[in-house]
Each structure stands twice: as C-alpha cells, then as structure tokens.
Amino acid sequence: MRFDVSCTALSSRLQSISKVIASKNSLPILDNFLFSLEGNTLTITAADSETRLTTTVQVMNVQGSGVFTLSAKNMLDPLKELPEQPITFDINDSNLDIYIYFQNGKYNFIGTRGDAYPQQRPLSSNAVTLNLDAKILLGGINRSLFATADDELRPVMNGIFFDIQTDSLTFVASDGRKLVRLRNDSVKSPERASFILPKKPANLLKTLLVKEEGNVQIRFDENSAHLACESFEMVCRLIEGRYPNYNGVIPQENPYKATVDRLSFLTALKRVSVFSQASSLVKLQLKSDEITIFGQDIDFSIAAEEHIPCSFDGPETTIGFNAVYLIEILSNISSADVILELADRTRAGVIVPSENEENEDLLTLLMPMMLND
C-alpha cells in the first residue's frame, strides 16, 4: 500500500479521536489506531473496551488497499511536531513494515494486522433513531454533565439521561445533591424512548461537537448507541438500568422567589467561598431587597460576608448551600438574571434562568446544607 496525505489533516483527525484510548487497556491492540484504506478514503478508528470513535481523511496517489494498526503514541507525538506538508505512507503488505516520508526525513514503524482489532457490534433490529442539531446536543451535554455522579452503587446516576418524547428531548443529570433538567421542544421523535449516556463518551462529545455544524444521527438499542455526524462516528455502550423519576423530586410549590443578577451572585459566591473551603458551606440570608452571603472557617478564624441586591417576595429567610455546587449551577446558566425559588431551609432550592433560550426550558435543583444557627 502507498498513499499521500496532508500532515495537518491527519494529525488533527488522530488528535480528535485519540482521547478515547484508555491509559491501561485489557487488549494491547487497543493502544493502536486502526487504519483502513479503501479508494481515496482512509478510515481511522480508536477505541477502548466501551467506546469506539471513527473518522476519515482524504488521501491522494493511492496504490492498493488494506487494513493495519499502528501505535497511537508513536504516531501522535512525531506528527504533531511536523509543519504542514504532504507526507507519504509506504506499507509493505507482507510484513507491515511502514515508512512515513516527509520533506526532511522519514519515520519507520512496524504495524500489526488489523483483523485482530475488535469489531463493532451491530445494533439490534428494534433500534430507535433520533436526529438533532449538533449544537442542541452539545448544549445539553455542556449544561448537564457537571451534575452527573461518581457512584459505584448507583451506576445509572453516572451518566446523562436522554428522555425522548414525541415533541421534546430532555437532558437530565443528578448526583442526589444537585439536579439539572434541560428540555428542548424543537427535537421531535416518532416514538418515546430513553437511554443513559455514560460520562466518558459525553466528555468526548463535548470536545468533538464544538466544530460540528450539521445534524447528528443517534441510533440506539438497549445496550449501545451509534452517533454519526459529518466528521466522526461514535459507538458506545450505554448504562443499563432504570433512571429514577426525576420529576418526582422537583418541588412543585416553592412559594418564595428571589431574582438576582447572575454574574454578581456568582462572583460574590466565588469570593466568599474562599473563606469556607473546609465545609464548602455558604449561608444565604434573603431580605426583600438584598441577599447576604456568609462564609467562615472556625478552625482558621476567618470569615466573610457580601451583600448583593435582589428582589425577594418572601419573609426573611436563611438557607445553607454547598458553594461549589451553587457556583457550578450558576456557571452553566447563560441568562443575565436567575430566579431562586425557595420554601424553607430544609427543602431543595430551585434555580432557573429569568429568560430561557429559544425552545428550551432549563431547571436546576440544589439540596440545602444544615445550618447550626
């Protein structure tokens, strides 16, 4: 086999899919990229035991076709240091001795046969298909991923729940202390369905979808999902199990509402939280025209308080929250103002944007922390 390819194009494709490769693989061949040459298209695959990423790059001056694998590390490190130029792959089909020629030199590798690389499992005949804009998928993952859990006892909480209705798609994530529910009414489906996307493929998509403009097709059955768009394809194993009834934990009657400038609230929390790093507890005292944020660390005899204006329609109230979680929630809301909906200091607080983006309904929930006073 022999072909020419742009060094920059090849390197960027390899970099984009290399993040799926685990640091320790049970199968040594999964430390490699799988290359498949057919006509003028070079298909490149990287995988671990659960997730598989595939991309393509156009090549020139092709002689022959075939399949082989090469060490991911040995390919990535030298190629990313080369300036843009055409490079030539020359592969000996009998012993897979591989030379890569470039302007000022050459690299020599020993490849392995590609037939030992794990094959992709086909989806079952009852697989469900969902088409949506890449930006919608990226936005849903971006704003919910932080709320997923790391819980070995409840693996269903360790991913993003896709709740597909005929007239909407809802992204849900929760670790039992915080919850995000983002509904998009522009996504339509012929049938109701759902799946739980694990954290690793969600993180990969968060990086890959940034450059995507078109649609993403998601096909999934009870075990796996296949996501395809213009630049790449992903196959991943889904988390099996039943996701909890997330609507059942969202308070329906939180009568007291505080409207506050999101950025002022966020920056004040970041400053005050420095003084309560041991417990992460911040106390909010809400009055009709202001919120006072308190933080302290008794062991180091430090404390802080800040006042920010707000509009609050309830009686004077105090409630404690984990500052880290509250900062994460506010950082993942884009509106200028947020509304904090409360009942009392023992019930979950609901935080929503004052204005949702088009076709969206975003709701976040945060459980309170106990106050000593």
Side-chain angles (χ1 to χ4, degrees):
M1 281 180 283
R2 187 181 176 94
F3 59 88
D4 299 337
V5 63
S6 160
C7 175
T8 303
L10 177 61
S11 181
S12 65
R13 298 291 199 283
L14 295 177
Q15 293 283 350
S16 68
I17 66 171
S18 65
K19 297 177 179 64
V20 74
I21 299 176
S23 56
K24 294 183 179 179
N25 279 306
S26 55
L27 294 174
I29 199 169
L30 292 178
D31 293 331
N32 296 359
F33 290 118
L34 174 68
F35 294 87
S36 176
L37 179 63
E38 187 67 42
N40 290 327
T41 300
L42 180 66
T43 302
I44 314 165
T45 300
D48 65 6
S49 58
E50 304 284 335
T51 308
R52 183 184 185 98
L53 273 173
T54 301
T55 188
T56 59
V57 63
Q58 294 302 302
V59 297
M60 303 161 287
N61 303 322
V62 179
Q63 298 176 19
S65 62
V67 180
F68 62 95
T69 80
L70 273 175
S71 164
K73 180 175 176 55
N74 289 345
M75 284 289 293
L76 285 170
D77 292 345
L79 282 183
K80 69 182 179 183
E81 301 299 336
L82 281 178
E84 166 53 18
Q85 60 186 285
I87 59 176
T88 300
F89 278 70
D90 192 353
I91 301 113
N92 185 319
D93 294 332
S94 60
N95 61 9
L96 291 180
D97 191 16
I98 299 172
Y99 283 89
I100 299 178
Y101 296 97
F102 55 97
Q103 187 174 356
N104 299 319
K106 62 183 179 181
Y107 301 136
N108 181 213
F109 304 97
I110 297 297
T112 59
R113 300 204 173 275
D115 51 14
Y117 203 86
Q119 297 299 304
Q120 176 182 319
R121 290 183 179 180
L123 295 174
S124 64
S125 58
N126 61 348
V128 178
T129 300
L130 176 70
N131 291 289
L132 71 160
D133 187 274
K135 299 304 179 189
I136 292 175
L137 179 57
L138 177 62
I141 292 172
N142 271 338
R143 284 179 283 174
S144 58
L145 185 58
F146 77 93
T148 55
D150 288 297
D151 191 339
E152 294 181 359
L153 299 178
R154 294 187 300 169
V156 294
M157 309 298 284
N158 298 341
I160 301 172
F161 180 57
F162 284 62
D163 189 3
I164 304 163
Q165 307 290 328
T166 55
D167 58 352
S168 66
L169 168 62
T170 303
F171 302 87
V172 184
S174 176
D175 62 3
R177 297 175 291 266
K178 56 186 180 291
L179 177 144
V180 175
R181 185 195 69 187
L182 174 62
R183 186 173 67 242
N184 191 299
D185 295 328
S186 67
V187 181
K188 312 298 180 186
S189 171
E191 58 185 305
R192 294 185 58 179
S194 64
F195 64 90
I196 306 172
L197 182 70
K199 190 173 294 188
K200 180 173 180 177
N203 268 308
L204 291 168
L205 287 169
K206 190 175 177 180
T207 303
L208 292 166
L209 289 170
V210 171
K211 298 179 181 178
E212 292 298 316
E213 296 294 337
N215 275 2
V216 179
Q217 182 190 72
I218 305 176
R219 298 183 65 241
F220 61 95
D221 57 19
E222 58 275 6
N223 299 313
S224 303
H226 181 184
L227 299 91
C229 58
E230 185 176 350
S231 301
F232 68 90
E233 293 184 6
M234 173 186 283
V235 178
C236 64
R237 189 186 300 274
L238 299 175
I239 297 176
E240 297 180 25
R242 184 168 183 173
Y243 203 81
N245 176 17
Y246 59 89
N247 284 314
V249 302
I250 298 172
Q252 301 302 312
E253 292 294 333
N254 271 12
Y256 310 128
K257 294 178 173 59
T259 303
V260 59
D261 180 83
R262 182 186 67 86
L263 200 55
S264 299
F265 193 16
L266 176 60
T267 53
L269 278 166
K270 287 180 177 179
R271 292 188 292 266
V272 173
S273 66
V274 174
F275 295 81
S276 60
Q277 289 185 353
S279 65
S280 294
L281 169 66
V282 291
K283 182 175 77 171
L284 307 182
Q285 184 180 61
L286 294 99
K287 299 179 181 178
S288 61
D289 59 352
E290 74 172 15
I291 298 177
T292 304
I293 309 170
F294 299 91
Q296 67 174 348
D297 190 324
I298 297 174
D299 293 339
F300 290 93
S301 299
I302 57 175
E305 70 175 76
E306 287 204 29
H307 307 268
I308 55 173
C310 78
S311 173
F312 183 52
D313 63 2
E316 184 173 320
T317 302
T318 59
I319 189 169
F321 286 120
N322 182 299
V324 175
Y325 298 157
L326 188 52
I327 288 169
E328 284 181 326
I329 286 173
L330 293 173
S331 299
N332 284 278
I333 296 176
S334 59
S335 68
D337 295 336
V338 293
I339 300 170
L340 177 59
E341 302 176 356
L342 301 171
D344 58 56
R345 65 165 63 186
T346 64
R347 299 188 194 179
V350 172
I351 304 159
V352 296
S354 59
E355 293 184 1
N356 279 292
E357 296 184 20
E358 185 178 5
N359 297 317
E360 288 188 349
D361 180 18
L362 174 63
L363 178 145
T364 62
L365 176 149
L366 183 59
M367 297 301 294
M369 293 180 71
M370 185 178 296
L371 296 173
N372 292 326
D373 52 48

